[in-house]
Amino acid sequence: MHTPGSFVDSPPALRDSTSHRIRILFGLLASLFPAFLATFKLFNRDIGFHVATGRAIELLGRVPDKNVLSYTNPDAPWILHQWIPAWLFYRIDKSWGPEGLVLFKIVVVYITFFLLWIALARTTRNFWVTSFWFVLATSASFTRFYVRPFTLAMLLLAGFLLGLTWFRTDGKRVKDYSIFLAITVGSAVVSSALHASFIYIWFITGAFFLAVWLEPLYQSSVLQFSRQVRRGEFVLRLAPLWVVSLVALSVGTVWLLHPHPWEIIALPFSFSTNAYYHEHLVEYRPPAFNLQYFPGLWLTLFSGWIVVGWTLVRDFLKDRRLKMWHAAAFLTIAMFTHLVLKHQRMAYSFALVTAFFAARPTAYLLSTLRRWPRRIAVVAMVVIALGTGFQSVRLWNSQANAGVGIDEKQYPTQMFQFVRDNDLPQRAYVSDSWAGWWLWEFYPERLSFCDNRLSAYPFEFYRDVYQAIRYGQRNWEELLDAYDVDMAVLKYTTNLEKDFLKGRPSVRQLMLQSP
């Protein structure tokens, strides 16, 4: 039951009579769809160094603060912000192998989207709106369902969003907000222990806080607003305390658990603003505008902005008001739209956040329609959701790696076995696409020259040494000699690499020509 002043009440004209238990049952069943799309074999290159990191923690008996997995930079600070998931992945791999890792990922994705379903259902109180945004969020994010710490962080993000549904506008005591505070602050704290992306929860918290304060400020003069604060409007006094406690506890958790706490907090900003990563790494590049291969992402983006924009215009034209939820939706979706258009790796968090904040404005707008216009809108939502879901299944099937375990088409099993059987030289230059897997296979017997743990290497080393060799620059042989490299294990030339070479020979060709 929710009081009339509860923040999660949906427009009365749209509220359906579905019981709480039925909504939970629908969520349990609907969550099978993202779990199904998460059922594909391991091919992401990150999982290798994560398992090797967990193995290093067990061997060392501590969390390493230096780059112990590399022979080129053993003394470089390692900003290890995801050691708890890495250790967990190592234990799962040790007990159940790659199959266990995939099954674990499927369970995490299932729980994440079950929490999202409940959050959407509590926010909208309408089956059709909940289903529409649930399918769009699934379709926008399923290509990011990897076995990686970020997937665990998205579970905590979904929990945080669910916690927001317990916020209310009429509370008079802290007790009235106990569930809201416990879930949101708890999700932020646990997320800060798992991955540097906990900073995204801070972004949402800031937007939500601004929305709480903007509504009374927008609806009254500055003088009236200041009087309102002085009179002690409880929600206006609680909001700053909520923000401060959430941020302080997150920082404290990072400080206690990680060797380089301040660097971890700054990590998302340093990566996202690095122009070289933005240009040279696929994950940090903008997503391609392609409705065939990224239908869920672009439909989620367009639908979210259409709904939120229409809602804000209608609010202004009707009574010159800025409603709290609609302001929060605008601020948050704007922030995550900027991030996903800059880095395609943000698709997962963008999908969860946009679906959650756009669902309530969608329900609000549907409540303003009557009879046939509303029916037409619902039919359009059903058609879009079914079409997007069907296209997602087609894309999932086209990957041809459905199942559990390792994708042998991607993982160089025979090559690694050849290295092991012939006891080839220790110091190898390995392509970063395979270097993480190299560590998974061989650590601690063999270390990496450079792998895709960007937070473990100085940026200058990555750009001026590893990439210089990879692109066959003039001093590539001298650089290999400087680190006593005896062998190269090179993946085929990628299309992105060809673009940077601009017709010049690759390092593979140069090595074959070199005496």
Side-chain angles (χ1 to χ4, degrees), residues 435-448:
W437 290 341
W438 176 270
L439 291 169
W440 186 6
E441 185 80 22
F442 294 115
Y443 178 81
E445 291 82 11
R446 297 173 183 270
L447 306 180
S448 67

Side-chain angles (χ1 to χ4, degrees), residues 472-485:
Q473 295 181 7
R474 290 183 178 181
N475 61 336
W476 67 271
E477 288 184 284
E478 289 80 4
L479 291 173
L480 288 175
D481 290 339
Y483 291 95
D484 297 326
V485 175

